[in-house]
Amino acid sequence: MGEPGTGRRRAAIPAMIVIICLIGLAVLAGLYAAPGRSPTAASSAVARSPDPGPLAVSSRGCLPGITDLRSGRSTLRIRNTGNSPEEVQILDDTHTYDYADLELVAPGTTRELIVVLPPGRFGASCEADDGTIGYSDPFQVTGPAVGGVHRWIPATLTDLGNAVTNYRTSVTAGLKQLASDTDALQAATDGQDRAMIKKRWLTAYLDYEQLGGVYDTFGDYADKINGLPSGLPRGVQDPAFTGFHKIEYLLWHNGSDDQIRAATRLLDRDVHGLVKAFPHQETAPNDVPLRTHEILENTMQLTLTGQDDLGSHSGLATTAANIDGTRMTLKALTPLLQQNDPALLASAEHSLDQLDAVVTSLHRRGGYPALRALSRTQQERLDGTLSGTLESLDPIPTELEVLLTQDNS
């Protein structure tokens, strides 16, 4: 290399620097001269996928132009350019696992589909309102392994049919118990013991609340047996106001023996009518996964706010019954969830156990206190735990929903 102080070494350095600088300037000039390019853009092109813009979905194609992505979180803008609502799913290349779902996208609308993807090969499926399915070209996801990936196996109509059969078996047994307990309630009205009538009313009422997942199946019987007076022209005095809440109102607002006896007789007749009708009533396949979330959602909206309390102050007992009703729907779905998304099943069961423990902790020797008797801390704990449970249950309807025919509601 020569000694660092010699004249030869010092004379060589300026020439080399000039050559290097000229080459560097030429490269930079070329970069800046290219339209739409910059050194920053050039260096980041490898690390970031270009934004393809809104991805179209219609009967003419499923997300044409979708490009390769980087692993991690991506936001895809989906534009329905057709005339039919479309449901979009991001699947692995074997169409076994689902990584994200976008519920029916209405014609003419653009919505965002957020998905977290690991490295691998993927595709999209687009299902129209009439059941027609199209698939995108496959695309590649490159980059490092990432956390936060959630995948599941989509349910089929056969899967949900089996769950509905299991659920209806449980409902049939529950209806039999309900009819027995409304018989006992009617028998109690032959005496003068209001405390006994109230006790038997609560037993039968909680029987019904445990069946909360099939109120659509029950048709007109749902309002006859468990309707509320809100929305009726004459409120609690309206002739159409019947069933458990009518009896509740009479029992806790000094209704006459004859009024209570007549209302109870009508309730018992309607319950036996439902028992006879149920084998011929149909339960929609999507109802069971939907009710797994909706039962406790109604509990939060109606029961914990006191909207369905006509005097008995039985909100906590009703909440406990609704937890049992949710467990019954989840039990029917358990074989399917064990196959499709065991992590979601475990989370749902754990959250229900937590909520059950909170409600049970409020039980006293004489039963559950009224909601208004809870301390602020107890109320906040109950509300917070129920909110957390709903969050855990929320993915079930989406993951297990199947597109039926012209209407997915």
Side-chain angles (χ1 to χ4, degrees):
M1 248 183 106
E3 294 294 327
T6 64
R8 188 175 178 183
R9 176 66 174 169
R10 291 204 309 268
I13 290 175
M16 184 64 69
I17 291 175
V18 169
I19 294 170
I20 291 173
C21 289
L22 289 173
I23 293 172
L25 289 171
V27 171
L28 288 173
L31 286 173
Y32 279 104
R37 295 292 302 275
S38 71
T40 302
S43 64
S44 64
V46 176
R48 183 179 303 169
S49 301
D51 182 1
L55 298 167
V57 57
S58 70
S59 60
R60 297 182 296 277
C62 178
L63 313 192
I66 189 168
T67 60
D68 293 346
L69 301 173
R70 294 288 295 173
S71 58
R73 178 186 173 98
S74 296
T75 301
L76 306 177
R77 289 178 290 151
I78 310 298
R79 175 74 176 174
N80 188 337
T81 59
N83 299 316
S84 172
E86 297 272 354
E87 180 173 2
V88 179
Q89 298 173 309
I90 303 299
L91 308 169
D92 69 345
D93 60 344
T94 66
H95 296 174
T96 301
Y97 289 101
D98 192 340
Y99 287 80
D101 258 4
L102 189 60
E103 292 295 314
L104 296 185
V105 184
T109 64
T110 300
R111 294 175 57 195
E112 290 186 345
L113 174 59
I114 298 173
V115 60
V116 179
L117 293 175
R121 195 169 174 82
F122 299 88
S125 93
C126 304
E127 186 167 4
D129 197 18
D130 62 0
T132 304
I133 302 177
Y135 295 98
S136 73
D137 290 333
F139 60 91
Q140 194 74 29
V141 173
T142 58
V146 294
V149 175
H150 181 69
R151 69 177 191 175
W152 66 94
I153 300 175
T156 67
L157 195 56
T158 300
D159 292 333
L160 286 186
N162 293 333
V164 168
T165 298
N166 293 337
Y167 186 62
R168 286 178 63 90
T169 299
S170 299
V171 172
T172 298
L175 285 173
K176 182 178 179 180
Q177 184 63 54
L178 172 64
S180 175
D181 287 336
T182 55
D183 288 345
L185 171 61
Q186 183 180 350
T189 62
D190 292 335
Q192 303 296 316
D193 188 345
R194 286 287 176 102
M196 177 58 70
I197 298 172
K198 289 180 178 180
K199 181 178 179 180
R200 291 189 177 178
W201 171 86
L202 182 60
T203 298
Y205 174 61
L206 297 181
D207 287 342
Y208 186 86
E209 285 294 316
Q210 291 175 349
L211 307 177
V214 278
Y215 51 80
D216 274 358
T217 299
F218 290 164
D220 291 342
Y221 283 108
D223 284 336
K224 290 179 180 179
I225 293 172
N226 203 39
L228 291 167
S230 53
L232 297 177
R234 296 177 57 192
V236 294
Q237 304 301 326
D238 199 288
F241 179 41
T242 62
F244 280 114
H245 291 294
K246 173 73 170 185
I247 299 168
E248 178 187 13
Y249 178 78
L250 293 171
L251 283 172
W252 274 271
H253 291 86
N254 300 314
S256 69
D257 291 342
D258 287 343
Q259 288 176 314
I260 293 170
R261 192 175 296 113
T264 304
R265 188 181 303 115
L266 179 57
L267 170 67
D268 193 45
R269 186 180 71 193
D270 286 336
V271 165
H272 280 275
L274 175 58
V275 171
K276 185 177 180 180
F278 183 66
H280 310 288
Q281 296 173 323
E282 293 186 4
T283 301
N286 288 326
D287 274 6
V288 178
L290 178 61
R291 303 298 183 252
T292 303
H293 179 269
E294 197 172 71
I295 292 171
L296 288 175
E297 186 177 49
N298 287 339
T299 303
M300 173 167 277
Q301 293 172 350
L302 298 177
T303 302
L304 295 189
T305 60
Q307 292 184 51
D308 60 1
D309 185 357
L310 273 292
S312 66
H313 304 319
S314 57
L316 284 173
T318 302
T319 301
N322 291 162
I323 294 172
D324 290 340
T326 302
R327 288 191 190 278
M328 192 163 79
T329 63
L330 190 61
K331 181 180 178 182
L333 295 168
T334 291
L336 181 54
L337 284 170
Q338 284 175 333
Q339 168 190 296
N340 291 26
D341 195 342
L344 176 56
L345 174 62
S347 174
E349 290 177 333
H350 178 66
S351 65
L352 282 171
D353 288 343
Q354 288 183 312
L355 179 60
D356 204 352
V358 169
V359 174
T360 300
S361 72
L362 299 173
H363 192 272
R364 300 293 177 260
R365 189 170 186 177
Y368 285 105
L371 285 166
R372 64 188 182 188
L374 299 181
S375 68
R376 181 174 179 177
T377 300
Q378 289 173 322
Q379 186 69 61
E380 289 177 349
R381 184 183 179 211
L382 176 60
D383 292 344
T385 306
L386 179 52
S387 295
T389 302
L390 288 172
E391 185 175 341
S392 296
L393 296 171
D394 185 62
I396 293 178
T398 298
E399 289 196 14
L400 299 187
E401 183 183 45
V402 295
L403 190 65
L404 301 175
T405 52
Q406 297 294 326
D407 182 17
N408 199 36
S409 60

